[in-house]
C-alpha cells in the first residue's frame, strides 16, 4: 500500500489542500454543539437575546464554512483519486505489455485484466475514502471525546461503557469479513477467466457441442462469487443497524441520567444537548474508521 501511495506524489498540492480543508471542517463540526449549548444555557435560560443572535450568527458562519470546505475537499478528492487510478492503469498496462509470454502465462490473462480494472478500482475507492476520512474520522472521534468529557465529566462513564462495545463488534466483524474480501478478488479472477475462455473459444465450444458444459462452468464460478459476496454483505448489513441501536440506547441513557442531574441542578440542559451531539459524532467516526479498516486490506 505504501509503495502504491508513492504514486500520489504528483498530487501533493491537492492532497495537502484536502487535508487542510478537512481539518477546518472537523473544527467547525466540533464547535457547533458547544455554541448550541451556549445559546440554550446562556441565551434562552437568561433571556439574553443579543447573545442568542450573536452565537447563532457564529453557528451559521461556521456551518457555512464547513459546507464549503466539504464541497471543495470532495471535488479535489475525486479528482485526485481518479487521477491516481488513471496513472496506475497506464503504468500497469505498460508493464503488462513488456511481459514475456512465460510471465503472461504465469499471471494469466484473466488475472491481468482483473488487476488492471477491478483491482485498480478498489485502489481508487480506498484512496478516495482515506483522503476524506483519515483526518476527519480520528479527529472527530478524539475531539468529540475531549469535548464531551470537558462539557459534562459526570456523563463520561457512558462513553467508557459504549465505545469498547462498538469497537469489539467492529473487530469481530472485520476478523470474519477480511478473509472473505480477499476471496472475492480471487473469485472475480476465476469468473473473468471462465468468461474469457468462453468468448475466445466460442467457435470450438459450438463445434464440439460443449455449450451446456461451459454454461455449467460459468454458473459454478458465478454462484461461488455470489455466495461469498452475500456472506460479506450479511456481515456488513449487521453493522449499521447495530450502531443505530447502540446509538439510540446510549442517547436514552444520557437523557435518563442527564435528566436526573438536571433535576438536581448539577447539569444544564444545553450541556446535555451538546453531550448527546458529541456522542453521536464519536460513534459515526468509529464507524468511518471501521470502514477504512475493512477497505484497506481489500485494496492491499
Amino acid at each position: 500500500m505504501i509503495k502504491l501511495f508513492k504514486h500520489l506524489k504528483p498530487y501533493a498540492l491537492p492532497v495537502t489542500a484536502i487535508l487542510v480543508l478537512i481539518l477546518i471542517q472537523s473544527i467547525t463540526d466540533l464547535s457547533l454543539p458547544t455554541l448550541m449549548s451556549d445559546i440554550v444555557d446562556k441565551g434562552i435560560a437568561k433571556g439574553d437575546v443579543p447573545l442568542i443572535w450573536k452565537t447563532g450568527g457564529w453557528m451559521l458562519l461556521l456551518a457555512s464554512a464547513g459546507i464549503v470546505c466539504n464541497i471543495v475537499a470532495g471535488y479535489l478528492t475525486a479528482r485526485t483519486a481518479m487521477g491516481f487510478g488513471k496513472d496506475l492503469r497506464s503504468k500497469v498496462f505498460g508493464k503488462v505489455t513488456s511481459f514475456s509470454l512465460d510471465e503472461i502465462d504465469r499471471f494469466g490473462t484473466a488475472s491481468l485484466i482483473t488487476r488492471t480494472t477491478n483491482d485498480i478500482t478498489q485502489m481508487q475507492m480506498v484512496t478516495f475514502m482515506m483522503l476524506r476520512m483519515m483526518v476527519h474520522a480520528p479527529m472527530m472521534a478524539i475531539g468529540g471525546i475531549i469535548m464531551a468529557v470537558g462539557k459534562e465529566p459526570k456523563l463520561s462513564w457512558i462513553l467508557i461503557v459504549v465505545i469498547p462495545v462498538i469497537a469489539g463488534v467492529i473487530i469481530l466483524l472485520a476478523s470474519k469479513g477480511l478473509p472473505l474480501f480477499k476471496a472475492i478478488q480471487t473469485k472475480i479472477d476465476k469468473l473473468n477467466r471462465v468468461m474469457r475462455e468462453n468468448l475466445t473459444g466460442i467457435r470450438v465450444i459450438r463445434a464440439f457441442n460443449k455449450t451446456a458444459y461451459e454454461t455449467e462452468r460459468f454458473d459454478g464460478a458465478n454462484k461461488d462469487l455470489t455466495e461469498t459476496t452475500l456472506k460479506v454483505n450479511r456481515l456488513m448489513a449487521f453493522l449499521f443497524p447495530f450502531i443505530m441501536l447502540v446509538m439510540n440506547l446510549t442517547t436514552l441513557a444520557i437523557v435518563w441520567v442527564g435528566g436526573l442531574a438536571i433535576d438536581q441542578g448539577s447539569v444544564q440542559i444545553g450541556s446535555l444537548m451538546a453531550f448527546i451531539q458529541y456522542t453521536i459524532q464519536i460513534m459515526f467516526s468509529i464507524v468511518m474508521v471501521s470502514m477504512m479498516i475493512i477497505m484497506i486490506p481489500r485494496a492491499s
Side-chain angles (χ1 to χ4, degrees), residues 110-246:
S111 180
L112 292 173
I113 292 170
T114 305
R115 290 165 193 261
T116 314
T117 53
N118 182 272
D119 289 0
I120 291 177
T121 300
Q122 296 296 328
M123 289 303 305
Q124 283 183 208
M125 287 176 61
V126 82
T127 303
F128 181 86
M129 296 288 282
M130 282 191 73
L131 288 174
R132 290 305 303 270
M133 293 184 183
M134 66 182 177
V135 172
H136 187 65
M139 185 170 179
M140 290 299 292
I142 297 167
I145 292 170
I146 293 169
M147 297 293 284
V149 172
K151 205 70 181 164
E152 283 301 335
K154 295 177 183 178
L155 302 177
S156 58
W157 65 268
I158 297 174
L159 296 178
I160 296 171
V161 173
V162 171
I163 291 174
V165 172
I166 296 174
V169 171
I170 289 170
I171 291 168
L172 180 64
L173 289 177
S175 65
K176 291 182 177 296
L178 294 183
L180 295 174
F181 275 124
K182 291 179 180 178
I184 285 173
Q185 298 304 115
T186 306
K187 289 174 182 181
I188 289 172
D189 266 6
K190 182 181 177 182
L191 186 67
N192 279 349
R193 186 183 73 247
V194 173
M195 188 70 185
R196 179 180 173 277
E197 288 171 356
N198 274 271
L199 292 174
T200 55
I202 193 164
R203 294 176 186 275
V204 178
I205 292 166
R206 288 175 179 174
F208 286 90
N209 195 25
K210 288 288 185 180
T211 304
Y213 171 76
E214 292 299 330
T215 302
E216 189 177 338
R217 277 185 69 212
F218 178 81
D219 287 343
N222 192 17
K223 185 179 179 182
D224 191 22
L225 175 61
T226 302
E227 287 176 351
T228 306
T229 306
L230 284 173
K231 285 180 184 177
V232 172
N233 287 338
R234 287 190 194 106
L235 282 172
M236 294 303 105
F238 172 78
L239 180 61
F240 289 103
F242 173 78
I243 294 294
M244 291 305 297
L245 176 64
V246 172

Side-chain angles (χ1 to χ4, degrees), residues 7-8 10-18 21 70-89 123-125 127-129 131-132:
H7 296 281
L8 280 172
Y11 304 97
L13 188 61
V15 167
T16 304
I18 290 164
L21 289 168
N70 191 23
I71 292 169
V72 176
Y75 174 77
L76 291 175
T77 304
R79 285 189 63 88
T80 302
M82 295 306 107
F84 170 72
K86 176 179 72 74
D87 295 346
L88 208 55
R89 269 190 294 271
M123 289 303 305
Q124 283 183 208
M125 287 176 61
T127 303
F128 181 86
M129 296 288 282
L131 288 174
R132 290 305 303 270

Side-chain angles (χ1 to χ4, degrees), residues 252-263:
L252 184 63
I254 292 170
V255 171
W256 179 41
V257 176
L260 294 174
I262 288 171
D263 188 47

Side-chain angles (χ1 to χ4, degrees), residues 34 36-43 45-46 151-152 154-155 254 257-276:
T34 298
M36 178 192 68
S37 71
D38 289 341
I39 287 177
V40 175
D41 294 337
K42 298 176 182 178
K46 297 179 180 178
K151 205 70 181 164
E152 283 301 335
K154 295 177 183 178
L155 302 177
I254 292 170
V257 176
L260 294 174
I262 288 171
D263 188 47
Q264 295 170 0
S266 58
V267 172
Q268 293 180 305
I269 296 173
S271 297
L272 179 64
M273 292 168 64
F275 190 89
I276 292 171

